[in-house]
């Protein structure tokens, strides 16, 4: 006799709730159909469902996303870096208070180095015929960020070795919920033949028919809800052996339309905006933004960033500010609209010679029009660089009124996205301090209140 097990998976929605109504209804209908047919079915999300660019996510600090996962009938999730490091310690600790699903993450410990009460390292599910499925969850190893927030994160591979040894003798198959990325998933497939299925995320990769690596089936469904993954697993119930694994993706755009699709999407957005209508300050004049020319709001934000970090100087790109601020009342919703990024302030210590080279790199004429993707950036283009306490005279660079001293140590304030090696590779190796959980919009709010 055989049993068919259906696994549906989503990942990296990043609060693109415009795609959620079709996904929600599709998953609810599929789950009900399989249950009616007497087949086992499980729904898993592989992290980064939460993204604070969306007003509802920002206003509820992710709890609105948890309600959406509840409504769709998910069985378990793991966390991504957006759940893990864009909320402060207490907000992540309470994120899943109302969850009606399991949260499985095997490499996160709280500030007392214990497993948080809302998370499990693994979970065993038993199908209708008695097949035991061990599900393990792991999240990306963003050690400096987790530690800055008070969490202890451990090596995913070290934890996986321990968990596989612990879980494998007690189950018939293992599924890994991996918010680690495609390269790590392929490496795990090669190194851990005990794992039957890896459902992947983090690098937004798409595997239309899955990918088999050393007998392990990998599945991944891209980003933003463009796809829903479906893994169909056939098991011989007499031997409890997996005999076949098939993977496919359903395109969100081709899922059945939903009656109140537009209304749901608009309502979630409006609900978030309403909740964010909390007054921050009242401006006596407007502060416009120009991405390619001098304008007041980017300069104000750059000065605020330098002050916040206690730095000697600072820079940022004007494209971070999506829009300016009008004269009159400013609310949290306004600040979220113009600075939707989950980007933190950062300060780096470096010698003057290194600082001079980094500043010279910001003068690249191609950068203002560069379209930026990822790294927490939620804008359109880089925009011109804006400086605080950095001046240019002839061919020399000044900090304050003094030319940069090549041997002196300086403290540079900048957005954290510039420290990941994509734009300034030399910054990766230098000593850094990340200011968390505050985002750039929090720094601007602090400055405006002054």
């Amino acid at each position: 006799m055989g049993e068919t097990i259906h696994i549906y998976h989503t990942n990296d929605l990043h609060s693109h709730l415009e795609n959620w109504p079709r996904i929600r209804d599709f998953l609810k209908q599929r789950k009900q159909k399989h249950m009616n047919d007497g087949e086992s079915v499980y729904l898993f999300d592989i992290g980064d469902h939460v993204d604070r660019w969306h007003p509802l996510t920002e206003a509820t600090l992710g709890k609105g996303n948890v309600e959406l996962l509840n409504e769709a009938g998910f069985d378990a999730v793991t966390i991504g870096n957006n759940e893990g490091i864009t909320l402060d310690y207490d907000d992540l600790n309470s994120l899943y208070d109302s969850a009606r699903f399991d949260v499985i993450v095997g490499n996160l410990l709280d500030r007392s180095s214990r497993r948080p009460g809302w998370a499990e390292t693994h979970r065993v599910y038993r199908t209708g015929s008695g097949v035991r499925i061990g599900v393990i969850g792991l999240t990306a190893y963003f050690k400096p960020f987790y530690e800055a927030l008070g969490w202890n994160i451990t090596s995913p591979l070290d934890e996986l070795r321990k968990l596989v040894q612990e879980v494998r003798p007690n189950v018939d198959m293992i599924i890994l919920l991996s918010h680690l990325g495609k390269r790590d998933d392929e490496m795990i497939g090669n190194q851990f033949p005990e794992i039957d299925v890896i459902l992947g995320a983090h690098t937004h990769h798409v595997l239309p028919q899955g990918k088999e690596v050393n007998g392990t089936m990998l599945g991944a469904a891209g980003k933003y809800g463009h796809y829903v993954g479906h893994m169909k697993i056939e098991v011989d119930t007499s031997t409890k052996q997996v005999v076949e694994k098939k993977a496919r993706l359903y395109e969100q755009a081709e899922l059945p339309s939903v009656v109140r699709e537009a209304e749901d999407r608009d309502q979630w957005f409006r609900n978030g905006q309403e909740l964010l209508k909390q007054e921050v300050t009242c401006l006596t004049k407007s502060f416009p933004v120009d991405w390619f020319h001098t304008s007041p709001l980017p300069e104000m934000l750059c000065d605020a960033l330098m002050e916040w970090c206690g730095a000697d100087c600072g820079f940022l790109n004007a494209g971070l500010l999506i829009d300016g601020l009008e004269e009159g009342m400013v609310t949290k919703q306004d600040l979220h609209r113009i600075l939707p990024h989950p980007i933190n302030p950062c300060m780096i210590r470096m010698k003057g010679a290194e600082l001079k080279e980094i500043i010279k790199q910001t003068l690249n004429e191609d950068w203002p029009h560069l379209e930026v993707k990822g790294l927490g950036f939620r804008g359109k283009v880089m925009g011109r660089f804006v400086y605080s306490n950095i001046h240019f005279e002839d061919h020399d660079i000044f900090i304050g009124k003094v030319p940069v001293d090549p041997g002196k140590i300086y403290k540079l304030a900048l957005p954290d996205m510039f420290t990941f090696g994509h734009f300034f590779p030399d910054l990766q190796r230098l000593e850094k301090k990340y200011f968390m959980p505050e985002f750039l919009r929090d720094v601007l709010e602090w400055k405006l209140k002054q």
Side-chain angles (χ1 to χ4, degrees):
M1 287 286 289
E3 181 181 24
T4 304
I5 300 165
H6 298 275
I7 309 287
Y8 290 88
H9 55 104
T10 55
N11 61 274
D12 296 286
L13 187 80
H14 285 282
S15 291
H16 276 265
L17 304 186
E18 69 274 15
N19 294 329
W20 191 249
R22 290 190 186 194
I23 293 171
R24 173 200 62 201
D25 285 17
F26 172 74
L27 291 175
K28 285 166 78 171
Q29 288 159 11
R30 280 303 176 110
K31 192 170 191 178
Q32 192 59 55
K33 178 191 182 302
H34 294 310
M35 288 166 68
N36 291 345
D37 293 345
E39 295 178 328
S40 296
V41 55
Y42 300 93
L43 310 186
F44 298 133
D45 184 79
I46 324 299
D48 278 3
H49 194 283
V50 166
D51 191 317
R52 289 175 62 179
W53 78 269
H54 194 288
L56 183 66
T57 303
E58 173 73 356
T60 64
L61 295 171
K63 287 185 167 71
N65 296 68
V66 171
E67 283 307 313
L68 296 177
L69 289 163
N70 280 340
E71 184 192 2
F74 275 73
D75 295 284
V77 307
T78 196
I79 68 166
N81 43 291
N82 272 265
E83 287 87 5
I85 60 174
T86 70
L87 300 168
D88 77 18
Y89 186 92
D90 291 333
D91 290 327
L92 175 55
N93 230 357
S94 63
L95 175 61
Y96 297 105
D97 282 356
S98 65
R100 298 197 296 271
F101 48 81
D102 301 317
V103 183
I104 305 174
V105 52
N107 62 319
L108 185 69
L109 302 171
D110 65 18
R111 54 167 61 110
S112 59
S113 293
R114 294 191 184 94
R115 187 77 46 214
W118 46 269
E120 303 174 270
T121 58
H122 66 283
R123 187 71 191 248
V124 178
Y125 298 93
R126 196 177 284 267
T127 71
S129 74
V131 173
R132 299 162 303 170
I133 306 172
V135 178
I136 296 170
L138 295 169
T139 196
Y141 189 54
F142 283 86
K143 190 176 173 71
F145 295 94
Y146 277 103
E147 288 184 344
L149 288 164
W151 295 100
N152 290 294
I153 189 155
T154 56
S155 159
L157 288 180
D158 290 349
E159 297 300 339
L160 186 59
R161 281 188 194 93
K162 290 185 275 188
L163 285 165
V164 167
Q165 285 178 357
E166 178 187 346
V167 173
R168 185 74 247 192
N170 306 308
V171 299
D172 304 303
M173 76 168 81
I174 291 181
I175 295 175
L176 173 62
L177 312 183
S178 164
H179 198 90
L180 302 177
K182 185 170 186 267
R183 194 171 63 177
D184 280 21
D185 291 351
E186 290 173 350
M187 179 176 64
I188 290 167
N190 274 311
Q191 292 184 14
F192 293 86
E194 307 94 330
I195 298 174
D196 297 276
V197 170
I198 300 174
L199 302 178
H202 186 48
T203 44
H204 301 174
H205 51 293
V206 178
L207 299 175
Q209 280 89 42
K211 180 178 182 179
E212 194 157 321
V213 176
N214 195 26
T216 299
M217 180 62 85
L218 276 53
K223 64 178 181 178
Y224 303 165
H226 293 157
Y227 300 96
V228 175
H230 178 199
M231 196 77 73
K232 193 173 169 185
I233 304 166
E234 302 289 346
V235 180
D236 182 324
T237 49
S238 59
T239 63
K240 299 291 195 287
Q241 294 290 306
V242 174
V243 292
E244 190 178 35
K245 292 171 280 195
K246 282 186 179 173
R248 68 164 294 183
L249 295 178
Y250 298 93
E251 265 194 74
Q252 184 272 343
E254 294 176 3
L255 297 179
S257 58
V258 172
V259 177
R260 288 182 49 83
E261 197 168 340
E263 291 91 332
D264 282 352
R265 182 183 63 221
D266 295 344
Q267 191 64 52
W268 291 325
F269 212 86
R270 282 197 304 272
N271 288 351
Q273 288 180 320
E274 282 302 312
L275 290 167
L276 289 173
K277 282 186 178 169
Q278 304 164 43
E279 185 173 355
V280 169
T281 189
C282 195
L283 296 179
T284 54
K285 62 175 183 177
S286 295
F287 285 86
V289 166
D290 188 315
W291 296 336
F292 307 112
H293 303 96
T294 302
S295 57
L297 198 59
E299 292 181 350
M300 179 196 282
L301 178 59
C302 196
D303 290 343
L305 180 66
M306 182 181 73
E307 287 177 52
W308 181 276
C309 295
D312 302 307
C313 56
F315 66 69
L316 54 76
N317 55 308
L320 283 165
L321 285 145
I322 309 293
D323 202 355
L325 292 171
E326 297 296 323
E327 179 184 341
M329 186 173 79
V330 176
T331 66
K332 284 185 178 290
Q333 192 242 321
D334 293 316
L335 296 183
H336 179 261
R337 177 177 54 81
I338 67 169
L339 281 166
H341 331 277
I343 291 176
N344 306 100
C346 181
M347 184 177 73
I348 305 187
R349 295 166 59 86
M350 66 182 81
K351 285 186 175 176
E354 296 168 313
L355 176 63
K356 207 167 178 178
E357 284 308 307
I358 294 297
I359 293 170
K360 281 181 183 174
Q361 288 175 45
T362 67
L363 302 174
N364 185 328
E365 292 179 359
D366 297 333
W367 277 19
H369 294 276
L370 181 71
E371 292 186 12
V372 184
K373 296 277 187 283
L375 306 173
F377 187 72
R378 304 289 184 257
K380 294 182 179 177
V381 294
M382 178 79 84
R384 70 187 289 271
F385 274 86
V386 178
Y387 307 93
S388 283
N389 209 33
I390 296 172
H391 311 287
F392 303 91
E393 287 185 27
D394 297 325
H395 295 293
D396 217 341
I397 298 171
F398 287 69
I399 302 300
K401 296 178 180 177
V402 182
V404 173
D405 179 343
K408 183 180 172 182
I409 298 294
Y410 293 90
K411 293 181 285 187
L412 170 69
L414 72 173
D416 70 7
M417 73 176 197
F418 291 130
T419 69
F420 304 144
H422 189 72
F423 300 106
F424 304 104
D426 293 343
L427 294 181
Q428 272 192 301
R429 60 180 174 76
L430 296 174
E431 176 194 342
K432 305 173 191 67
K433 180 180 179 183
Y434 294 105
F435 292 81
M436 302 181 74
E438 297 84 10
F439 292 152
L440 294 179
R441 56 180 170 270
D442 300 308
V443 175
L444 184 59
E445 179 177 339
W446 167 77
K447 185 70 173 173
L448 288 169
K449 283 178 173 174
Q450 291 179 345

